[in-house]
Structure formats: C-alpha cells, structure tokens
Amino acid sequence: MRRIKALFVTGVLLMFGAAAMASEAEIVVLPIDRAKFLAGQRFDLEVEFRGASANEIGLLIDGRDASEFFGKEPVVKKSGTLSSFRFNDVALTKAGEITAEAKAKVGGKEYVKSVRYTVVPPQEQKARNVILFIGDGMGLASRQIARILSKGVTEGKYDGLLEMELLQDGTALINTSGYDSLVTDSANSASAYATGHKSVVNAMGVYENSDPDPLTHPKVENITELVKRARGMSVGLVTTSNITDATPAAMVAHTRRRAEQNFIAGEMAKADVILGGGSQQFLPRSVAGSKRADDRDLIEEFKAEGYAFAANRAGLAAAKGERVLGLFGLDNMNVYLDREILKDPEVLGGFTDQPTLMEMTKHAIDILSKNENGFFLMVEGACIDKQLHSMDWERSAYDTIEFDKAIGVAREFAANDGSTLIITTADHSHGISILGTYHERDGKTGREAVRTYAESIFPTFSDSNGDGFPENPAPDVTLAIGYANHPDYYEDFKFHAKPVSPAIMSGDVAVGNTARAPRGALYIGNIPANESSEVHTADDVPLSAAGPGADYFRGVMDNTEVFFGIVRALGIDPAQK
Ligand SMILES: [Zn+2]
C-alpha cells in the first residue's frame, strides 16, 4: 500500500502523492447520476478514483468546493491504484437540481465525472401512518391466481376482488431494476422502497464502492431512520420469512451483502415490533439450530431493551407493551398450506403453533397505533416468492391469499383510523403465467391435459367455509401454470402434498428432480445449468394504494418512487426534530 505523502487542500483539489499510471482509470461518484433525495435525507458521498493512483482528486458541488459546501472535511483513503474520499453523514437541504463534479489528475491527464442530483422538498402531511405491503415476487399473474382461487370466476366474470384490488386511489406499474442490472433481488429492490435510491444485487441501504468489507459502503438514510429521527414514529416489520432476510432487513440495515444476517439481527432493534421467523440469528451458537458465530443471546438483549418476546401464536397473543419481538421458527416460517391446512408434522418440524400473517399484522397495528406520532409498518408475504423459486405455485397462491387477507386487516384499521395510507406492491416478479386449466376428465394426462382456449373450462376450487382459502388445493379442474424461466425439471401439472425441489445439484449442474413428478415429462431448462430453481424476472409489478397520499401512484414509476410517495404522504421533514 502506497503511503499518502502529502494531502493539501488547494482550492477544490485534494492533493495526493506521486502518480502511478494504469491503462484504464475511472472516477466513480456515489450516489450515482440522477439520484433523488428528500431534502435533508442523510447519506455518505464518496468519490473513488479507480485504476490509477491519482496525484490530484477533488469534488465541486454546484461549483463550490465540497468541503466548504458540507462544512466538513472528507475521509481520504489511498490504497494501491484506488484513491477515494468520502463525506460521511451529509445532506442536501435545498430543493432543486444539483451538480457534483469530480476531477482527478494522473500525470498530465485529467479525468472528470459529473453527476446530477434531484432534491425534493418536504411536503405537507397527509397521513399519520403508512402500511407498506410487499408481496415478495408477487407479479400480476400471482395476484390473478389468488383472485381465481380465493374469489372464483363465473362465466368469465370474477366473483369478487381481492383486498389489494380494492385499494383503488392509486395504481401504478413499478419498474424494479437496480442500478447494476435489469433483474433485481429482494434486497436491492426493498432497499429502493426504503431509501428512494436504487442499489445493486444483494445490497441494501448502500451504494457499492470497492471495499471488500460489506459493512462500510456509503449509506443512504432509510425510512425507519427517517420517521424515527424526524417525527418519533413507531416502526414495525412483519414477515413470514426469516426476519433478517432481505426485505425486512432493507427497512433497517445498511450492508453490501444481505448474507450478513447476524449483523442484521442486531439492526432489528431500530424497529419496535418485529414479527417473523429467524430465531437462528438471535440464539447464541451453543443453542441447537443457531447460526450465530458468537455467544450473544439477542433474544435476552432485546428483552433487556424492553421487548416482550414471543415464540409462538399463544405467546404473541400475550405479548403486550410498546415493543415486541416475535420469532416463530428457526428460519423461514412455514407456508399457509402447511401451517393451517395440511399440518404435516414432518414439514412443520416442531413449529406447530405459528401465527398467521393476519394475526401478526393485527398485533403489530394494535401496538404501533398507540403512538400518536404515527407509525410505519412493512408487512411482507415472503413465501409467495420462495414457493415460486420452488415452482410450487399452489403453495405460493395460498400465501398470496394470506397476504391479501392481512391487507384486509389493515383496510379495516384504516377505515376507522382515516389517516393511514396503504400501499401494496411486489419487489420483483416471477416468470409464471396462467396457460389455461388442467383436468384429466377425458383420461388425458400431462401436457395433453393442459386445456387452452375453448378447452380451458373454469377451475373448480371451492371455499365452502368462506374463509378465502379453497379447502382443496388440487380440485378436479385446476389451473395450468407455466414457468418462463426454469432449470431442467419434471412436470405433471399436479399438486405436491410435500414440498419438493424442482431440480437438484449434480456437481455444478442442476438436474431435474424425479421425485417431483415421477411420471411427468422432463422440461429442458432455459437458464444457466448451475441454477437449480426458477428465478426472478425483470417484469414490471403492479402497485395498488388507498388512503391519504395514494394519488401519488400513477402510470409507470421506478421502484424508488415508492419511498417518495411514503415520505410525501407522511410529510416527513428531516430538518424537523
Ligand atoms: Zn426470490
């Protein structure tokens, strides 16, 4: 590592030591070009000069030296052919357009990189509370499948709409891409909702710099931090996944790697109500099932911070107070079909008393709504996505219905409260489509029994007790579902009573799992052979909203706009204490 020989601030330029040349050099400014900020939202501004050792590097903001502009000095780093400087925890307080121009010199050559930022002013408050429902991986087809199963369709007319389809004050299509790639993962996309900034696959609450340490990348203030800092609101996170998984994690944490789940578990203390799976990240390593690398007992630490703790449905009902931590499984919770209908003890693995997403949502709202400053609650239907990765559309559909009924709980609250914005969207889509229906009434099987066009008679799901969930996930006439992006797998268009993965790894290659459909046909994969599950797509996802501020959502929008719709509705002004 080259020592910095001298660091002078002369005008706008920070002076480094002797230059070393490399053929390809570039300046990277983070946040990236066209980033948008809420005025006063805090972030780290970093300039990296990559590929050569610069002898001069500097930054102007609207023509002014950045140190003068922010009233503080940057942290300067130099290592090999990387030079960087960073202003930690700064904010752009004036609304409008801003230009940041970075310059570096190597020998006689000058490099310049300009970025433009948009700063939007705080708005007048419209809503006291915001509830953001994220159906993980819930594309348009997932919503429609849930509607068909839950509400039915007669002579081509739907027999009812989903709760999420009754949110009709704002409707938009959301573009889910990150800034690195067309197809996002859940961390990256949830991060856009939480911060208003796009990020990269596997990252949350940060822009990506060159540092291999995932916890040091330049941060952007997220919705949890903002609503607490600016208004003292309460925050709740509810999910059916491991609570430290990408979507809930992105509401509180800043890391380049979503896999840092032990770190993320500690960050959960930024929220007041935390309900989901994932005790494996909270239990000390000495306890069976723990995934911690240390002896910290986070459940005890949270209790010491005033959290009531619940480990099952009965415990949740009894967990009162302002702060609750509920962890209802070691990892992801079971899906609705397994938890509430099939109840196969082998599948449940001892967790036989898990609450539903409706119960968790209700409990969270009951607690959070006691704060007169309002609350932000994120509720995730996590396994809509996970079951589509497993190409198990029935399990995914039941979880979509469960997610929808949780939205019903929120709608009921909002109807009485009158000051709550409800937003429902997904973080990305999956490549599923409704091909038609499937039945074997005439003895045909497999693809010959996939009924298209005039043959696609209506499915025979029935919900005789009216709870919204069909009693039988495998009726006489069911849906024929196709997957656009999949590994080699065997398909017989039948429901699987036990979850079974579509493909299994054989060395570096995923091969179709014959246990999935022993008499089914082999469908040749159309994604790289080392991928054993169905994968996300870049398709836009629908957003539906209702309540004060929902009018913000219209047309086609970037995922980052969900954040701006939330802070606009709440009238969050980061400059206010
Ligand atoms: Zn996924």
Side-chain angles (χ1 to χ4, degrees):
M1 182 173 142
R2 184 189 298 274
R3 257 196 84 219
I4 298 173
K5 289 183 183 156
L7 172 65
F8 314 105
V9 180
T10 55
V12 304
L13 294 178
L14 301 167
M15 308 288 289
F16 284 102
M21 286 298 289
S23 54
E24 296 208 9
E26 62 166 342
I27 299 177
V28 174
V29 181
L30 304 170
I32 59 170
D33 191 27
R34 299 196 293 159
K36 181 173 168 180
F37 301 82
L38 173 65
Q41 182 183 11
R42 290 178 179 166
F43 65 102
D44 303 331
L45 195 160
E46 181 155 346
V47 177
E48 282 194 337
F49 186 64
R50 298 176 183 170
S53 179
N55 49 355
E56 292 183 8
I57 175 168
L59 178 69
L60 293 175
I61 298 183
D62 271 353
R64 285 168 66 197
D65 172 61
S67 300
E68 186 194 309
F69 184 91
F70 290 123
K72 71 194 311 185
E73 292 304 315
V75 177
V76 181
K77 281 190 185 159
K78 195 171 161 82
S79 165
T81 54
L82 180 76
S83 319
S84 74
F85 64 91
R86 172 152 153 189
F87 292 92
N88 283 314
D89 202 26
V90 292
L92 300 170
T93 51
K94 199 165 132 253
E97 300 288 316
I98 283 191
T99 302
E101 186 180 66
K103 285 184 182 173
K105 276 187 186 168
V106 180
K109 191 167 178 198
E110 186 174 71
Y111 295 81
V112 181
K113 171 78 180 179
S114 264
V115 297
R116 285 183 70 75
Y117 296 147
T118 301
V119 184
V120 296
Q123 302 288 313
E124 199 177 310
Q125 183 175 3
K126 297 166 188 66
R128 183 168 57 237
N129 315 306
V130 171
I131 308 178
L132 173 63
F133 284 90
I134 301 178
D136 201 306
M138 187 186 68
L140 201 53
S142 283
R143 283 171 61 145
Q144 191 181 350
I145 291 167
R147 188 203 312 141
I148 292 170
L149 265 65
S150 184
K151 305 295 177 185
V153 52
T154 305
E155 294 183 320
K157 284 193 173 182
Y158 52 76
D159 296 330
L161 288 174
L162 296 173
E163 296 285 348
M164 65 181 99
E165 293 169 331
L166 295 168
L167 303 171
Q168 296 180 347
D169 299 340
T171 303
L173 289 174
I174 302 296
N175 164 46
T176 63
S177 296
Y179 76 79
D180 61 331
S181 52
L182 198 60
V183 182
T184 189
D185 79 313
S186 293
N188 184 11
S189 184
S191 179
Y193 295 157
T195 67
H197 293 256
K198 288 185 184 273
S199 191
V200 298
V201 168
N202 293 334
M204 58 184 77
V206 297
Y207 280 93
E208 182 191 30
N209 68 13
S210 302
D211 198 328
D213 181 345
L215 302 181
T216 60
H217 293 233
K219 300 179 181 68
V220 187
E221 191 170 22
N222 61 42
I223 187 69
T224 295
E225 294 158 343
L226 267 170
V227 301
K228 289 212 162 261
R229 176 166 77 81
R231 192 172 290 152
M233 291 170 64
S234 291
V235 171
L237 304 175
V238 172
T239 183
T240 48
S241 73
N242 178 345
I243 192 73
T244 54
D245 200 9
T247 305
M251 299 297 132
V252 294
H254 303 272
T255 169
R256 172 66 187 87
R257 281 184 62 228
R258 58 186 278 180
E260 299 293 327
Q261 294 197 31
N262 289 330
F263 159 76
I264 292 166
E267 295 297 291
M268 282 293 145
K270 289 181 188 167
D272 304 281
V273 177
I274 308 145
L275 305 175
S279 59
Q280 64 191 12
Q281 255 76 39
F282 290 74
L283 295 164
R285 65 179 166 182
S286 54
V287 175
S290 167
K291 288 205 169 169
R292 290 201 67 84
D294 55 30
D295 296 316
R296 281 179 67 184
D297 184 334
L298 264 66
I299 293 172
E300 287 306 317
E301 290 180 24
F302 273 68
K303 283 186 192 166
E305 292 293 322
Y307 287 83
F309 176 70
N312 52 36
R313 173 185 263 155
L316 179 64
K320 306 292 181 201
E322 289 173 18
R323 309 181 94 188
V324 175
L325 171 67
L327 300 172
F328 309 110
L330 279 169
D331 196 349
N332 300 317
M333 293 171 66
N334 287 102
V335 298
Y336 188 88
L337 248 178
D338 294 320
R339 258 187 278 127
E340 299 291 330
I341 296 178
L342 302 176
K343 299 182 179 176
D344 181 340
E346 198 187 320
V347 174
L348 295 180
F351 293 94
T352 53
D353 189 28
Q354 302 171 50
T356 64
L357 193 59
M358 296 78 89
E359 289 165 331
M360 292 194 284
T361 302
K362 172 87 167 60
H363 201 86
I365 291 173
D366 285 350
I367 290 173
L368 297 168
S369 59
K370 294 194 174 102
N371 185 341
E372 61 190 24
N373 294 329
F375 67 86
F376 169 75
L377 169 62
M378 191 287 299
V379 179
E380 184 196 23
C383 298
I384 300 167
D385 166 81
K386 295 179 193 303
Q387 293 302 318
L388 290 177
H389 281 297
S390 302
M391 306 180 72
D392 194 331
W393 70 264
E394 293 95 336
R395 280 185 170 76
S396 178
Y398 277 70
D399 271 39
T400 310
I401 297 170
E402 182 185 37
F403 176 71
D404 189 60
K405 289 178 71 75
I407 294 167
V409 170
R411 285 188 68 230
E412 204 176 311
F413 167 78
N416 292 320
D417 170 75
S419 190
T420 300
L421 169 63
I422 301 175
I423 304 167
T424 299
T425 189
D427 51 353
H428 57 77
S429 197
H430 274 273
I432 58 163
S433 241
I434 305 169
L435 309 181
T437 48
Y438 182 91
H439 67 80
E440 299 179 350
R441 286 177 176 176
D442 54 8
K444 289 179 181 172
T445 59
R447 63 186 282 189
E448 297 307 323
V450 172
R451 315 293 167 157
T452 63
Y453 294 110
E455 301 291 310
S456 61
I457 58 171
F458 295 103
T460 52
F461 292 98
S462 79
D463 172 23
S464 47
N465 67 1
D467 68 353
F469 297 92
E471 283 80 33
N472 180 4
D476 173 35
V477 183
T478 186
L479 294 176
I481 298 296
Y483 299 85
N485 45 358
H486 57 81
D488 287 7
Y489 79 107
Y490 289 90
E491 180 66 273
D492 60 4
F493 300 95
K494 300 280 186 60
F495 172 67
H496 305 105
K498 280 186 198 288
V500 51
S501 56
I504 43 181
M505 295 306 290
S506 170
D508 292 339
V509 175
V511 296
N513 183 3
T514 49
R516 185 179 196 269
R519 288 173 320 229
L522 177 64
Y523 284 67
I524 300 299
N526 57 4
I527 54 175
N530 63 359
E531 182 61 66
S532 64
S533 54
E534 186 266 11
V535 294
H536 302 174
T537 63
D539 301 354
D540 287 350
V541 293
L543 178 148
S544 303
D551 59 312
Y552 188 74
F553 299 104
R554 57 201 291 271
V556 176
M557 304 177 101
D558 261 314
N559 52 4
T560 48
E561 288 302 314
V562 172
F563 168 85
F564 290 100
I566 294 170
V567 294
R568 172 183 173 269
L570 290 172
I572 290 296
D573 181 356
Q576 259 174 16
K577 190 65 195 126

